Amino acid sequence: MPVLLFRIPRSAFRVESPVFDFTVDATSGCARSGTLTLPHGTVETPVFMPVGTQGSVRTLSPNDLRASGATLVLANTYHLHVRPGEQVVEKLGALHRFMGWDRPLLTDSGGFQVFSLEGSRRLDEDGVEFQSHVDGSRRTLTPERATEIQWTLGADIAMAFDHVVPGGADEPTARDALERTLRWLERCRKRHAELSHGRMGGQTLWPILQGGAHLDLRTEGVRRILDLGAWTGLAIGGLSVGEPKAVMYDMLERLEPKLPALPRYLMGVGFPEDLVAAVERGVDLFDCVAPTRNGRNGSAFTADGPVNIRNAEHREDPRPLDDACDCETCTTFSRGYLRHLFMAEELLGLRLLSLHNVRYLIRLAEALRAAIRRNTLGPWAAEWRRRYLHTGSA
Amino acid sequence: MPVLLFRIPRSAFRVESPVFDFTVDATSGCARSGTLTLPHGTVETPVFMPVGTQGSVRTLSPNDLRASGATLVLANTYHLHVRPGEQVVEKLGALHRFMGWDRPLLTDSGGFQVFSLEGSRRLDEDGVEFQSHVDGSRRTLTPERATEIQWTLGADIAMAFDHVVPGGADEPTARDALERTLRWLERCRKRHAELSHGRMGGQTLWPILQGGAHLDLRTEGVRRILDLGAWTGLAIGGLSVGEPKAVMYDMLERLEPKLPALPRYLMGVGFPEDLVAAVERGVDLFDCVAPTRNGRNGSAFTADGPVNIRNAEHREDPRPLDDACDCETCTTFSRGYLRHLFMAEELLGLRLLSLHNVRYLIRLAEALRAAIRRNTLGPWAAEWRRRYLHTGSA
């Protein structure tokens, strides 16, 4: 009987000599392929981060994530703060040990979540008061609290607490959010330095650029963020929040020349076509719930575009979901079986499509890296779009 | 990146030279440890079969089942007949290929399911007319149809179509069901022989003993089943269907001396204490949905008895679910994290407890085998009960 799968030693979750480093190894146009070194390991970019909102990438185990080639996973500060609470996570050995994930982790600051809680939040200069979606209790997140919670969780990368506005926000609204985000960034930076006692701890803090769809605000934001300190990465927030995709692509394209050489993380993005477009525009890191959420709805990314496995056409189809894929789902099961699992409401179906979709985006990032290193990203992307989007152009 | 997990060659699901064999390797009292050889592999007994009702052991993949040490898995003829239909399974390469399971499979005949459909079934000598729980369509299962469907599915072991009565059935009711089951057995045997053209095919057919809680009926049943032909195994049906556990244990104890040396399969059993008691009474094979159903409800078998992971006491508990267990769940995660998954309604929790419970019962069968081979089953079972049931006696 095969028995002992693995038992991760507790020491695997601790880091003695933390290192933060980023090198760009190759470029193709504006696109970059790099190596991001973090306390819990090395991340090759471009990279897609699966999202473990509540400390679990929905339906998937750490073994599944490792088999999918995931090197960096995201978890949400807001969700872990309201349940089970960061003190519980700390008592259970901090976030890496809690989740059973020994590779790098990034925590979002909770800014995006509390600004998504329409009607049940109150904003002032100090921070945001909101109502927990779990038990209705009143809670407050401030730049300092968000930084402290993330310090307690202990991810490799913590995010600054930011003020997010909808995609179509006008200039004064976007300006207001940018200014507040910059003031909050200074408070986050100060608190993070106190917590790490001025030494390079096991965690780094990344700023988030806001400014809506206003290039001048974004450009000014980049400059003022860089004036605030020496950073190890930069996140682009407030995109993919309701604006048309063309607006996001245009903003990235025009912003790219203003960005420093730091790792660039486009938050909450995205779908396969968004990854390709954003990598072409110089982005390095991505996260999105789409692979697991769509997977649970029966929708799968494939080389030939999205497939809904519930469709009757798959009933007796012996082919794999995606014949270009090497994941456990595609190497083991037919479309007919996967459709059966969804029709019969078997939980295994949710898991198998989530696993495939996560592997799909990680493989896509791997392919983008390879194309950048060969300096053939343009033709590679054209061919990819021809097959995925059934079109000859971008 | 670790990538290609495995790709099972199609040939792995086909068997060129089917073999059916059973040898008893050791005994300890009435308990036996044996080796059951089937077309798709060898099964050491006593053995627990995880239940894949609809062609999937709820939440678990074939890789999980292999890692759990499962050697034999059960699927349900009734469920696969109504959805997706045996013709679809056949077109997708028959049941082994469909499920991605290359080890032995057993299909239940559907008898238990159609007799569980209270109010929506009609019984006559030919068979049972019932209403599909999926689409309400009228369907008929007869001994011949149940045999044909199972032949199409292609499991290693098919079960005869039987008439099941509740645990408290009186003697005339139990006699009627026994007689009908015997008449139906002859029809199943005949149809199975026709399908296999009189040759030993890739599938064997096992009879099911009925007779309720009436020893004389059961004894007569055994004799008449053996008169009907040469069998490769014998199932005991109609127990664990509502009667007190003491009645089941007593029946097994008094029946044991009447049973042939064939592999003995106690259908639908059971909980850990039932496995131990039934093995002591000479049973070799078991199946039950309890490990996966209880797992999805947050209930776990452990060496010290059942644990409900939702209990507040586990909130900050860094210990594994069961420190005696070698499964992925117990070697990776704390009770605190598992509780969090259940409180946060994360699907991974259902899977991790199901995985543990399946491994628990398979490990229990492994431990029973070892104790029988050492001829120390009595003291082993006493010690097991002391810890699991918190009692000094059986």
Side-chain angles (χ1 to χ4, degrees):
Chain A
M1 296 306 105
V3 169
L4 192 69
L5 293 171
F6 64 100
R7 190 187 292 265
I8 302 173
R10 286 185 169 258
S11 61
F13 298 101
R14 301 191 192 284
V15 171
E16 300 305 328
S17 308
V19 176
F20 298 96
D21 184 51
F22 181 66
T23 56
V24 173
D25 306 319
T27 60
S28 186
C30 295
R32 306 115 55 84
S33 170
T35 305
L36 173 63
T37 305
L38 294 167
H40 285 85
T42 292
V43 176
E44 293 188 88
T45 65
V47 67
F48 175 78
M49 287 182 264
V51 178
T53 307
Q54 304 188 102
S56 159
V57 178
R58 294 254 154 88
T59 76
L60 303 182
S61 71
N63 268 353
D64 293 333
L65 294 171
R66 269 185 285 269
S68 297
T71 52
L72 180 55
V73 167
L74 180 148
N76 282 109
T77 292
Y78 164 82
H79 286 279
L80 292 167
H81 170 62
V82 300
R83 184 172 55 197
E86 64 276 12
Q87 302 302 338
V88 172
V89 176
E90 184 179 36
K91 282 188 177 148
L92 293 169
L95 190 54
H96 280 92
R97 174 83 195 112
F98 181 67
M99 293 174 62
W101 180 247
D102 57 355
R103 294 182 181 177
L105 278 174
L106 179 150
T107 42
D108 192 2
S109 63
F112 181 78
Q113 279 73 33
V114 296
F115 284 99
S116 303
L117 293 168
E118 279 299 335
S120 54
R121 60 173 165 84
R122 198 175 58 77
L123 165 76
D124 64 19
E125 184 56 24
D126 189 45
V128 183
E129 190 187 79
F130 62 95
Q131 203 164 2
S132 158
H133 76 286
V134 171
D135 60 6
S137 60
R138 301 299 302 179
R139 311 255 184 152
T140 302
L141 269 186
T142 63
E144 290 80 9
R145 281 292 293 133
T147 304
E148 289 158 7
I149 295 168
Q150 291 182 85
W151 182 263
T152 302
L153 293 172
D156 300 69
I157 302 171
M159 301 304 301
F161 190 62
D162 59 335
H163 181 171
V164 185
V165 291
D170 59 21
E171 207 272 354
T173 307
R175 158 71 68 183
D176 178 62
L178 171 66
E179 294 289 345
R180 183 166 297 103
T181 297
L182 289 167
R183 291 191 297 275
W184 285 359
L185 175 59
E186 175 54 20
R187 288 165 59 188
C188 289
R189 193 198 57 71
K190 185 158 170 285
R191 188 71 189 115
H192 198 263
E194 288 167 6
L195 291 165
S196 56
H197 302 293
R199 288 178 284 109
M200 181 62 96
Q203 180 179 79
T204 191
L205 176 75
W206 283 9
I208 301 176
L209 173 67
Q210 291 292 344
H214 306 279
L215 181 65
D216 53 341
L217 292 183
R218 296 261 176 193
T219 305
E220 180 185 336
V222 171
R223 184 178 51 73
R224 289 173 61 188
I225 286 171
L226 297 178
D227 286 347
L228 279 177
W231 307 102
T232 59
L234 172 69
I236 302 166
L239 289 180
S240 195
V241 289
E243 81 285 0
K245 285 200 177 190
V247 170
M248 176 172 84
Y249 296 167
D250 183 58
M251 173 59 66
L252 291 174
E253 194 161 314
R254 291 158 70 194
L255 193 57
E256 198 280 330
K258 325 284 185 188
L259 295 177
L262 296 174
R264 303 157 182 174
Y265 162 29
L266 180 59
M267 304 183 81
V269 173
F271 283 80
E273 60 272 30
D274 300 331
L275 252 72
V276 175
V279 163
E280 290 179 307
R281 290 158 178 82
V283 173
D284 307 301
L285 294 94
F286 302 87
D287 79 279
C288 191
V289 296
T292 45
R293 178 175 292 168
N294 291 15
R296 295 197 305 282
N297 288 331
S299 178
F301 305 131
T302 81
D304 296 304
V307 159
N308 189 327
I309 199 64
R310 294 172 177 275
N311 286 350
E313 66 184 297
H314 305 304
R315 188 160 179 264
E316 298 178 358
D317 192 338
R319 293 176 304 152
L321 197 48
D322 183 351
D323 58 19
C325 185
D326 54 13
C327 81
E328 182 180 344
T329 305
C330 291
T331 55
T332 312
F333 304 105
S334 63
R335 291 185 177 201
Y337 180 71
L338 296 172
R339 176 176 189 269
H340 167 66
L341 294 180
F342 272 85
M343 301 313 286
E345 298 181 359
E346 282 287 348
L347 293 170
L348 182 60
L350 314 185
R351 167 182 167 188
L352 293 177
L353 258 65
S354 298
L355 181 69
H356 166 74
N357 281 347
V358 165
R359 176 66 190 143
Y360 179 92
L361 286 180
I362 289 172
R363 264 198 319 118
L364 180 58
E366 290 170 0
L368 285 161
R369 287 204 295 275
I372 294 166
R373 286 172 190 186
R374 287 192 312 265
N375 197 12
T376 56
L377 183 59
W380 183 92
E383 172 59 20
W384 182 87
R385 286 191 179 93
R386 191 194 57 72
R387 192 164 171 194
Y388 187 84
L389 300 173
H390 311 290
T391 169
S393 72
Chain B
M1 297 304 107
V3 168
L4 192 71
L5 293 172
F6 64 101
R7 189 187 289 268
I8 302 174
R10 285 185 170 260
S11 60
F13 298 101
R14 302 195 191 282
V15 172
E16 299 305 327
S17 307
V19 176
F20 298 95
D21 184 50
F22 181 66
T23 56
V24 173
D25 306 318
T27 59
S28 186
C30 294
R32 307 116 54 85
S33 170
T35 305
L36 174 63
T37 305
L38 295 168
H40 286 84
T42 292
V43 176
E44 292 189 88
T45 64
V47 67
F48 175 78
M49 287 182 263
V51 178
T53 307
Q54 305 187 102
S56 160
V57 178
R58 294 254 155 89
T59 78
L60 303 182
S61 70
N63 268 354
D64 293 334
L65 295 170
R66 269 185 285 269
S68 298
T71 51
L72 180 56
V73 167
L74 179 148
N76 281 110
T77 292
Y78 165 81
H79 287 280
L80 292 169
H81 169 63
V82 298
R83 183 172 56 197
E86 64 277 11
Q87 301 303 338
V88 171
V89 176
E90 184 179 37
K91 282 190 176 147
L92 292 168
L95 191 54
H96 280 91
R97 173 83 195 114
F98 182 66
M99 295 174 61
W101 180 248
D102 56 356
R103 294 182 180 176
L105 279 172
L106 179 150
T107 42
D108 192 2
S109 64
F112 182 78
Q113 279 73 33
V114 296
F115 283 99
S116 304
L117 294 168
E118 278 300 335
S120 55
R121 61 173 164 83
R122 199 175 58 79
L123 165 75
D124 64 19
E125 184 57 26
D126 190 45
V128 184
E129 189 186 78
F130 62 96
Q131 202 164 4
S132 158
H133 75 287
V134 172
D135 60 7
S137 61
R138 303 300 302 181
R139 311 255 184 153
T140 302
L141 270 185
T142 63
E144 289 79 9
R145 281 291 292 133
T147 305
E148 288 159 8
I149 295 167
Q150 291 182 86
W151 183 262
T152 302
L153 293 172
D156 300 67
I157 302 170
M159 300 304 301
F161 190 63
D162 58 336
H163 181 172
V164 185
V165 291
D170 61 20
E171 206 273 354
T173 306
R175 158 70 69 184
D176 178 61
L178 171 66
E179 295 288 344
R180 183 166 298 102
T181 297
L182 289 167
R183 291 192 297 273
W184 285 357
L185 175 60
E186 175 55 22
R187 289 165 56 187
C188 290
R189 194 200 56 72
K190 184 158 172 284
R191 187 70 190 117
H192 198 263
E194 287 166 4
L195 290 165
S196 55
H197 302 292
R199 287 178 283 110
M200 181 64 93
Q203 181 179 79
T204 190
L205 176 76
W206 283 9
I208 302 176
L209 174 66
Q210 292 292 343
H214 306 276
L215 181 66
D216 53 339
L217 291 184
R218 295 262 177 193
T219 306
E220 180 184 335
V222 171
R223 184 179 50 73
R224 290 173 59 188
I225 285 170
L226 297 178
D227 285 347
L228 279 177
W231 308 103
T232 59
L234 173 68
I236 302 166
L239 289 180
S240 194
V241 288
E243 80 286 0
K245 284 200 178 192
V247 171
M248 177 173 80
Y249 296 167
D250 183 59
M251 174 58 67
L252 290 173
E253 195 161 312
R254 292 159 70 195
L255 194 57
E256 197 281 330
K258 326 284 186 188
L259 295 176
L262 295 175
R264 302 156 182 177
Y265 162 31
L266 181 58
M267 305 183 82
V269 174
F271 284 81
E273 60 272 28
D274 300 330
L275 252 72
V276 175
V279 164
E280 291 180 307
R281 290 158 177 82
V283 174
D284 307 300
L285 295 95
F286 302 87
D287 79 280
C288 192
V289 296
T292 44
R293 178 176 293 169
N294 291 15
R296 294 196 307 280
N297 289 330
S299 177
F301 306 131
T302 81
D304 296 305
V307 160
N308 189 327
I309 199 64
R310 293 173 179 273
N311 286 351
E313 66 184 299
H314 306 304
R315 187 159 177 265
E316 298 177 358
D317 193 337
R319 293 176 305 153
L321 197 49
D322 183 351
D323 58 18
C325 185
D326 55 13
C327 80
E328 181 179 347
T329 305
C330 292
T331 55
T332 313
F333 303 105
S334 63
R335 290 185 178 201
Y337 180 70
L338 296 172
R339 177 177 189 269
H340 166 66
L341 294 180
F342 272 84
M343 302 312 286
E345 298 180 359
E346 282 288 348
L347 293 171
L348 182 61
L350 314 185
R351 166 180 166 189
L352 292 177
L353 258 66
S354 298
L355 181 69
H356 165 74
N357 281 347
V358 165
R359 176 67 189 141
Y360 179 92
L361 286 179
I362 288 172
R363 264 197 321 117
L364 180 58
E366 289 171 359
L368 286 161
R369 287 205 293 274
I372 294 166
R373 285 172 191 188
R374 288 190 311 265
N375 197 11
T376 56
L377 183 60
W380 182 92
E383 172 58 22
W384 182 87
R385 286 191 179 94
R386 191 194 57 72
R387 194 166 169 192
Y388 187 86
L389 299 172
H390 311 290
T391 170
S393 73

